């Protein structure tokens, strides 16, 4: 029988998870399907019941459900609990288990080019995406400072993860070895926006923008011109999916082919 997977969020039409996994299923001859499901938060409880009844094998969970979904699962991985977000559900013979693979994807994306260890890591934003990044950087030995427009949110996150925080207005006072934008600033259609003045960049700084539509954001373009090392934003999506695949199937994902399909979809 074909195995069912879903990617859930609200909205969900633009999710690229099906692109990644359909290619992986095809490549490895796995009889499975992944569909998108647009689930507003108030419908999440009944959807999870459906997941149990129809024996979905797994879910990929995206905004705004990563936090809400945790209450309906049977087990939460301790790291996902610490981050406060589940992006992966595994149906293990009727037991629904929640994991977070975003931080693993982020770590792999950054550490392919540089190491967090001993570096000053400046994280822009204090929302859902920031939590996985802060966890990843701290776990790998980075000294993290969270800069957010709303300082109260930065303070809450910094208290939780035991790191520094400041208002985004003071960015220039915090030179980074590694700069990570976790906000949606610069995302299509607002491609002319950036939070980082040109004077902030220096040669050799690593810059990672989690925004990958467009593939080259203004932040990345300007950092590149200033001779920074660029971590491509789509890599986090790719590597978190690689880990999801491993959790669902217990084997290595066909990464090259998944990347090829992803880049094609991203144009
Ligand atoms: P996500 O789950 O994608 O991280 P979120 O939880 O809504 O989304 O968080 C969005 C983050 O982007 C927040 O840190 C937000 O700052 P505020 O806490 O001040 O709202 C930040 N953000 C969004 N638009 C921004 C903008 N125009 N300027 C600065 N920060 C912005």
């Amino acid at each position: 029988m074909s195995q069912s997977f879903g990617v859930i969020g609200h909205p969900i039409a633009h999710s690229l998870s099906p692109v990644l996994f359909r290619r992986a299923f095809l490549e490895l001859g796995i009889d499975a399907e992944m569909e998108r499901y647009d689930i507003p938060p108030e419908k999440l409880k009944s959807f999870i019941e459906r997941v149990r009844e129809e024996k979905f094998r797994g879910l990929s969970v995206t905004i705004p459900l990563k936090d809400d979904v945790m209450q309906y699962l049977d087990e939460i991985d301790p790291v996902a609990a610490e981050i406060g977000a589940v992006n992966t559900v595994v149906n293990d013979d009727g037991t629904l288990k929640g994991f977070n693979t975003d931080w693993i994807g982020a770590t792999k994306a950054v550490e392919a080019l540089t190491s967090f260890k001993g570096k000053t890591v400046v994280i822009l934003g204090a929302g859902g995406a920031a939590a996985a990044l802060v966890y990843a950087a701290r776990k790998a030995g980075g000294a993290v400072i969270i800069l957010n427009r709303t300082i109260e949110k930065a303070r809450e996150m910094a208290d939780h993860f035991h790191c520094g925080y400041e208002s985004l207005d003071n960015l220039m006072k915090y030179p980074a070895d590694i700069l990570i934008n976790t906000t949606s600033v610069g995302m299509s259609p607002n491609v002319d926006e950036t939070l980082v003045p040109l004077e902030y960049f220096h040669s050799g700084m690593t810059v990672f923008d989690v925004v990958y539509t467009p593939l080259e954001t203004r932040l990345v373009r300007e950092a590149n011109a200033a001779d920074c090392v660029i971590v491509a934003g789509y890599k986090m999506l790719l590597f978190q999916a690689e880990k999801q695949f491993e959790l669902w199937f217990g084997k290595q994902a066909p990464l090259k082919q998944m990347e090829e399909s992803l880049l094609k979809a991203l144009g």
Side-chain angles (χ1 to χ4, degrees):
M1 200 177 81
S2 179
Q3 305 180 70
S4 297
F5 292 85
V7 53
I8 63 171
H10 183 65
I12 199 65
H14 299 294
S15 168
L16 292 166
S17 289
V19 169
L20 286 162
F21 289 105
R22 285 173 189 164
R23 180 64 190 267
F25 300 155
L26 186 72
E27 215 53 47
L28 298 186
I30 295 171
D31 185 12
E33 185 47 278
M34 175 176 273
E35 297 292 346
R36 297 181 182 88
Y37 297 91
D38 193 325
I39 311 292
E42 64 275 15
K43 300 238 169 90
L44 182 58
K45 185 168 190 264
S46 60
F47 185 79
I48 296 297
E49 281 162 16
R50 180 175 162 196
V51 166
R52 291 180 190 279
E53 276 160 25
E54 296 180 16
K55 299 189 172 58
F56 278 59
R57 189 64 190 88
L59 296 177
S60 179
V61 183
T62 186
I63 293 163
L65 308 174
K66 290 184 186 188
D67 170 353
D68 289 0
V69 77
M70 296 169 80
Q71 63 191 303
Y72 304 120
L73 305 179
D74 304 309
E75 289 175 21
I76 306 289
D77 174 72
V79 175
E82 185 171 349
I83 293 171
V86 158
N87 77 320
T88 310
V89 177
V90 178
N91 186 349
D92 195 357
D93 257 336
T95 303
L96 298 187
K97 300 179 178 173
F99 297 87
N100 186 300
T101 70
D102 287 331
W103 78 275
I104 296 170
T107 303
K108 186 167 175 182
V110 172
E111 298 232 321
L113 296 180
T114 186
S115 163
F116 277 122
K117 197 168 170 56
K119 304 284 173 58
T120 299
V121 184
V122 171
I123 298 204
L124 308 181
L133 267 304
V134 173
Y135 180 86
R138 292 270 295 120
K139 169 94 178 158
V144 174
I145 303 158
I146 301 166
L147 300 188
N148 198 45
R149 178 177 60 181
T150 311
I151 192 157
E152 188 52 30
K153 276 172 70 183
R155 191 178 65 76
E156 272 172 36
M157 186 165 283
D159 283 353
H160 180 69
F161 289 109
H162 307 290
C163 57
Y165 71 96
E166 248 292 8
S167 161
L168 191 55
D169 295 339
N170 293 322
L171 173 63
M172 288 305 293
K173 289 192 203 155
Y174 295 89
D177 298 314
I178 302 175
L179 173 75
I180 304 175
N181 173 49
T182 74
T183 77
S184 52
V185 175
M187 189 183 290
S188 194
N190 304 314
V191 297
D192 293 330
E193 292 180 355
T194 180
L195 294 175
V196 184
L198 286 176
E199 316 83 79
Y200 187 77
F201 301 116
H202 62 77
S203 172
M205 179 191 286
T206 299
V207 175
F208 175 24
D209 193 345
V210 304
V211 175
Y212 53 80
T213 52
L215 272 173
E216 190 183 67
T217 57
R218 179 174 168 191
L219 171 67
V220 165
R221 188 169 64 248
E222 293 180 347
N224 208 4
D227 211 17
C228 297
V229 175
I230 307 298
V231 179
Y234 81 87
K235 296 267 186 181
M236 179 173 164
L237 173 68
L238 178 68
F239 295 144
Q240 66 77 30
E242 177 189 32
K243 185 67 194 176
Q244 290 186 315
F245 187 92
E246 283 175 33
L247 286 168
W248 290 328
F249 296 100
K251 60 179 162 188
Q252 198 111 41
L255 196 62
K256 274 269 156 287
Q257 292 88 344
M258 288 165 79
E259 182 170 21
E260 183 187 282
S261 290
L262 180 61
L263 285 173
K264 199 168 157 205
L266 285 168

